[in-house]
Amino acid sequence: MELLIEFFSSYGYFAVLFILILCGFGLPIPEDITLVSGGVIAGLYPDDINVHMMLAVSIFGVLAGDSCMYWLGRLYGAKILRFKLIRKLITAKRLRLVREKFDKYGNRVLFTARFLPGLRAVIYTVSGITRRVSYTRFVLIDFLAAIISVPIWVYLGYFGAQNLDWLHEQIKKGQLAIYVLIGILALFLLWKWKKSKSTKGE
């Protein structure tokens, strides 16, 4: 995170926007750390960086990165797997798994994807490949998820800018809370699926 803070301090909003778009392509930098770092520089340099503007830039950045993956899938379809870099990110196993979940849960998978770093890019690409979701709906669902997660990380960085040790601890707690919520959601969906399956069996 310290390297990101140093980089963002030098180039401001544009650096945050650039990294977030690359995160959308699967850059191996945690998106939440990028968002927190953007908030930190707003806290360290309030005269130069406005935290509310940083939030707006961050939301635009995550939506732009996600949109790129959607359109890659939409324009190239399954042929996108011919690209070596994409093939490393979207393996045949991951593609099959996401397609199965997408068929079962549809829009809920898109919404949940914002909180799934390992599968986020894959889910967005598959949503474009399947063409089951229009771009307008895709952006709307992604935005609704982003306005929940992005402000939390940006403002956490802003208020913790003067105490990085405390900030690191809060990031760990925040990540743990997200994983717990995802686990609860997964259990709920599993229970609902089994219930509907047993009802059909009757």
Side-chain angles (χ1 to χ4, degrees):
M1 187 170 73
E2 284 74 12
L3 288 175
L4 280 177
I5 292 172
E6 184 178 345
F7 177 57
F8 292 165
S9 298
S10 301
Y11 300 100
Y13 301 117
F14 294 105
V16 176
L17 179 64
F18 176 68
I19 295 298
L20 285 172
I21 291 175
L22 290 182
C23 284
F25 280 93
L27 182 74
I29 296 178
E31 189 179 88
D32 49 4
I33 299 299
T34 303
L35 295 169
V36 169
S37 299
V40 167
I41 65 166
L44 293 176
Y45 310 105
D47 294 334
D48 301 317
I49 304 292
N50 180 278
V51 66
H52 307 303
M53 180 62 72
M54 179 59 72
L55 174 61
V57 169
S58 297
I59 290 178
F60 180 79
V62 298
L63 292 179
D66 298 343
S67 295
C68 287
M69 296 309 294
Y70 172 89
W71 280 109
L72 281 174
R74 181 133 186 163
L75 293 173
Y76 289 98
K79 294 178 182 178
I80 196 173
L81 297 180
R82 294 177 183 175
F83 295 95
K84 189 174 181 180
L85 291 176
I86 298 294
R87 195 163 59 243
K88 288 182 179 179
L89 177 66
I90 307 176
T91 62
K93 183 178 179 180
R94 277 185 168 184
L95 182 62
R96 185 172 60 254
L97 173 65
V98 171
R99 266 182 167 162
E100 289 174 359
K101 299 301 180 185
F102 211 85
D103 289 338
K104 288 180 182 178
Y105 305 116
N107 293 344
R108 285 170 288 182
V109 175
L110 272 180
F111 183 84
T112 308
R114 168 112 320 269
F115 311 98
L116 299 173
L119 290 174
R120 185 184 299 141
V122 184
I123 291 172
Y124 294 152
T125 306
V126 171
S127 68
I129 291 174
T130 60
R131 294 175 175 252
R132 286 184 53 187
V133 180
S134 68
Y135 179 63
T136 302
R137 176 173 289 189
F138 171 83
V139 169
L140 177 61
I141 294 172
D142 197 24
F143 174 74
L144 291 175
I147 60 174
I148 295 173
S149 62
V150 175
I152 292 174
W153 294 119
V154 171
Y155 287 118
L156 179 64
Y158 177 73
F159 290 113
Q162 304 301 330
N163 190 341
L164 293 183
D165 290 334
W166 174 86
L167 184 58
H168 279 293
E169 188 63 31
Q170 299 311 307
I171 290 172
K172 290 179 182 178
K173 289 180 180 178
Q175 290 173 330
L176 178 61
I178 288 173
Y179 292 138
V180 169
L181 288 173
I182 291 171
I184 293 172
L185 178 62
L187 289 173
F188 172 74
L189 292 175
L190 179 63
W191 170 79
K192 195 171 181 180
W193 175 72
K194 284 188 175 181
K195 187 178 179 181
S196 63
K197 193 174 181 181
S198 62
T199 304
K200 288 180 181 178
E202 294 174 359

